[in-house]
Amino acid sequence: MSRTDNSLKNLKTAVLFKLAAIVVNFIARKIFVVVLTKEYLGLDGTFANILTMLSLAELGVGTAITYSMYKPLAEGDRELILSLITLYRKFYTVIGITVGVLGAALTPFLQYIIRDIPDIPHIRLIYLMFVLDSSISYFLVDKQSLISADQKQHIVTSYQYKTSMAVTAAQCAALLLTGDYILYLALKLCATFVCNALLARKADRLYPYLKQKTVQPLPAPIRQDISKNIRAMIAHKLGSVVVFGTDNVLIAYFVGAVSVGLYSNYLLITQSLKSAYSMIFRAMTASIGNLCAAEDTAHAQAVFWRVDLLTRWIYGFSAVCLVVLFNPFISLWLGADYLFSMPIVLLIVLSFYVTGMRQSVLTFREAMGLYWYDRHKPLFESAINLAVSILLAKPFGIVGIFIGTVVSTLSTCTWIEPYILFRHGFGAPVGKYFVRYALNTLLTAFAGAATWCICALLPQTGFGSFIIKVLLCCVIPNLFFLFVYGKTSEFRYFLTLGKSVLGKRMHKSA
């Protein structure tokens, strides 16, 4: 089996695991809202976001060290790999302890973070369990980075999703049998440690040299390079945490924890899509890193346009589907009491789209290690996000908070990140990228309007109507994208790749 065929097979397996995990998570959420109240749902989302903010302590160390592994993996330099893994372990041990201590220190201030804090028993114990789960997630993860950097992300994905599905099933059983939220959290806490331990054991079997006791010190140039990338990643980590980790906290403070619970359902859907798509792009990152390490800039740029077409098509199509199907799905899934109004839904989808459209650029930035050049960007992004969100939160509530997220992304990331990639990565003008971005946004808007108008002719409630809307969403926007992109060289590449894979399967089955 060729390397490409093997990669496609691994990716298919990972996607199937992810789809199964998504189904299990949606069933679990239904059980959660039936057994527990909206207050528990809001508390779950708020505490998770507080811990997301504390993940700033990670400082981008993992990304910087993983990038440093691409070259020694390609050259088979085991001593250097072992040194990098040892450094990774030391950093993450300190980070895990720091997150635990800082998280626990916030316990007395919970009533100031959550407006109208719900009357839930043992609320501080619940919070401390969230803290402990976040803290132990940093232990035993160093060897996972080696598996991922060695283009074996499917192994990590397989272990994570198998563990996730098993613990989610156990959590559902625990809720149905006991209704005990603390037991529910305890099961998740155990699963986090078990998954990391199993992956560490798998890495030891894949790379026996990791058991060596003698570790050489890192060469000075590599230490300097990692230090430089970490300094750059600190700002990137700050921007990510502030923009994507504060929405629930701001909603909890300005609106209330119940609204956090409602938003968490929409967030579960968008995050499920993002995590499914990110598997595709993560699977590419190590290969792109090896390609860029070979300094084949022209070929790297050609590959970028293929990845960018994939990004535009996936996120454009998904945005159309979300606008049309978000509320009908949640109504069928959880009930009409868990719906937001359409203006809020449109802002959630817009945030999903503008964030997702960065995926091709971020994949290449990570693979090429271009963190240093836009290190100041996240500081402006964070400041704009907080300023706009807080300014608009009082008069407009949740709408104002989501506007802040969209404005901060459009005013910084959308143009700075591609500019840096094209200037310092490809040494080429960036204008073509912005033209394609604008074209795709208009195309998505037209496809969305057409799909919405046609679906509006159908009854707005009922399972049968929802299924017809799903079918229309699968057909109409894809026809728009096929009409515009069908003759491009990037589309022909994927078409040829698809025919090749299909041909091989038919040949095997013959």
Side-chain angles (χ1 to χ4, degrees):
M1 182 181 290
S2 70
R3 190 178 184 89
T4 300
D5 289 340
N6 195 46
S7 296
L8 289 172
K9 180 182 178 181
N10 292 334
L11 181 59
K12 177 185 174 183
T13 302
V15 170
L16 289 174
F17 272 124
K18 180 58 186 177
L19 291 176
I22 288 173
V23 172
V24 170
N25 284 335
F26 277 89
I27 294 172
R29 179 56 60 93
K30 177 66 175 179
I31 292 172
F32 192 104
V33 300
V34 168
V35 175
L36 301 173
T37 63
K38 288 182 182 179
E39 285 76 15
Y40 276 96
L41 194 60
L43 196 68
D44 196 89
T46 304
F47 285 170
N49 250 220
I50 292 173
L51 272 299
T52 297
M53 294 174 64
L54 288 178
S55 70
L56 179 61
E58 196 268 345
L59 303 177
V61 169
T63 303
I65 297 179
T66 299
Y67 167 72
S68 300
M69 291 182 191
Y70 293 143
K71 188 174 181 180
L73 275 168
E75 296 174 350
D77 190 342
R78 294 184 175 184
E79 284 193 358
L80 181 53
I81 292 170
L82 189 58
S83 299
L84 288 168
I85 289 293
T86 303
L87 179 65
Y88 197 121
R89 185 183 308 119
K90 290 177 180 177
F91 266 120
Y92 265 49
T93 299
V94 173
I95 291 166
I97 294 170
T98 302
V99 168
V101 171
L102 291 178
L106 289 176
T107 307
F109 305 100
L110 292 180
Q111 66 267 30
Y112 303 109
I113 299 173
I114 305 173
R115 181 182 180 182
D116 301 326
I117 190 165
D119 184 18
I120 293 175
H122 313 297
I123 194 167
R124 284 175 172 75
L125 173 61
I126 290 170
Y127 171 71
L128 288 173
M129 292 182 74
F130 271 88
V131 172
L132 183 58
D133 182 56
S134 179
S135 178
I136 65 173
S137 69
Y138 291 98
F139 295 93
L140 299 177
V141 296
D142 46 289
K143 296 171 185 177
Q144 292 180 34
S145 62
L146 177 57
I147 299 175
S148 299
D150 198 24
Q151 303 185 51
K152 294 184 174 107
Q153 178 63 34
H154 64 281
I155 294 175
V156 178
T157 301
S158 173
Y159 274 74
Q160 288 175 339
Y161 288 144
K162 285 177 182 177
T163 307
S164 174
M165 286 188 285
V167 73
T168 302
Q171 286 178 306
C172 290
L175 282 180
L176 289 172
L177 292 173
T178 68
D180 190 339
Y181 183 56
I182 291 178
L183 176 58
Y184 172 92
L185 292 177
L187 288 168
K188 182 179 183 299
L189 198 152
C190 293
T192 300
F193 181 80
V194 169
C195 183
N196 288 348
L198 290 174
L199 276 167
R201 185 181 175 188
K202 178 67 174 178
D204 285 335
R205 291 201 299 267
L206 289 172
Y207 313 100
Y209 59 87
L210 293 178
K211 298 178 181 178
Q212 284 183 215
K213 301 298 182 183
T214 305
V215 180
Q216 300 297 323
L218 277 174
I222 294 178
R223 285 202 311 272
Q224 293 168 3
D225 188 48
I226 291 173
S227 176
K228 178 181 176 181
N229 282 333
I230 289 175
R231 293 201 304 274
M233 285 304 297
I234 290 173
H236 289 293
K237 187 71 177 180
L238 173 65
S240 176
V241 167
V242 170
V243 175
F244 301 110
T246 58
D247 280 354
N248 277 354
V249 176
L250 290 173
I251 293 171
Y253 182 79
F254 286 103
V255 184
V258 172
S259 293
V260 175
L262 298 183
Y263 176 48
S264 69
N265 299 319
Y266 290 84
L267 198 59
L268 175 62
I269 296 171
T270 56
Q271 286 183 335
S272 295
L273 289 174
K274 286 179 182 178
S275 61
Y277 299 154
S278 70
M279 288 191 305
I280 300 172
F281 295 102
R282 274 203 313 269
M284 298 177 185
T285 302
S287 299
I288 293 168
N290 290 329
L291 171 66
C292 298
E295 299 181 355
D296 189 352
T297 306
H299 184 41
Q301 191 172 351
V303 172
F304 170 80
W305 290 121
R306 296 170 191 165
V307 176
D308 191 56
L309 173 63
L310 193 64
T311 302
R312 284 179 274 135
W313 197 312
I314 285 176
Y315 280 95
F317 165 69
S318 298
V320 173
C321 291
L322 289 173
V323 168
V324 176
L325 301 174
F326 238 152
N327 275 356
F329 174 75
I330 290 178
S331 182
L332 286 171
W333 174 36
L334 300 174
D337 290 341
Y338 289 86
L339 298 181
F340 276 141
S341 63
M342 275 310 296
I344 297 176
V345 172
L346 287 172
L347 279 169
I348 293 172
V349 175
L350 181 59
S351 178
F352 168 83
Y353 175 79
V354 297
T355 303
M357 285 288 284
R358 300 164 57 196
Q359 189 65 67
S360 56
V361 173
L362 293 179
T363 299
F364 272 75
R365 186 194 72 177
E366 182 175 340
M368 301 175 87
L370 301 174
Y371 315 114
W372 182 255
Y373 300 102
D374 62 345
R375 61 193 181 279
H376 300 305
K377 179 265 301 179
L379 302 178
F380 292 99
E381 179 189 10
S382 305
I384 293 170
N385 176 264
L386 284 176
V388 176
S389 294
I390 293 173
L391 184 66
L392 298 182
K394 281 196 174 182
F396 300 110
I398 293 177
V399 169
I401 293 170
F402 291 153
I403 288 174
T405 301
V406 172
V407 168
S408 66
T409 302
L410 288 174
S411 62
T412 54
C413 306
T414 300
W415 67 273
I416 294 175
E417 288 168 352
Y419 172 77
I420 294 297
L421 175 65
F422 275 79
R423 179 177 179 181
H424 298 284
F426 300 142
V430 71
K432 182 179 177 181
Y433 172 85
F434 290 128
V435 170
R436 293 191 177 192
Y437 189 107
L439 172 65
N440 194 78
T441 302
L442 289 173
L443 178 60
T444 301
F446 280 119
T451 308
W452 175 271
C453 290
I454 293 173
C455 288
L457 301 175
L458 299 169
Q460 296 306 300
T461 58
F463 183 74
S465 175
F466 176 77
I467 294 300
I468 296 173
K469 288 178 181 179
V470 170
L471 295 175
L472 290 172
C473 285
C474 288
V475 173
I476 297 172
N478 281 316
L479 287 177
F480 274 83
F481 286 105
L482 183 62
F483 177 77
V484 174
Y485 296 134
K487 294 184 178 180
T488 63
S489 60
E490 293 83 18
F491 179 80
R492 289 197 299 271
Y493 167 82
F494 286 113
L495 188 63
T496 302
L497 180 63
K499 288 179 179 178
S500 173
V501 173
L502 185 61
K504 288 180 180 178
R505 289 196 173 180
M506 293 178 66
H507 178 72
K508 287 180 181 179
S509 61

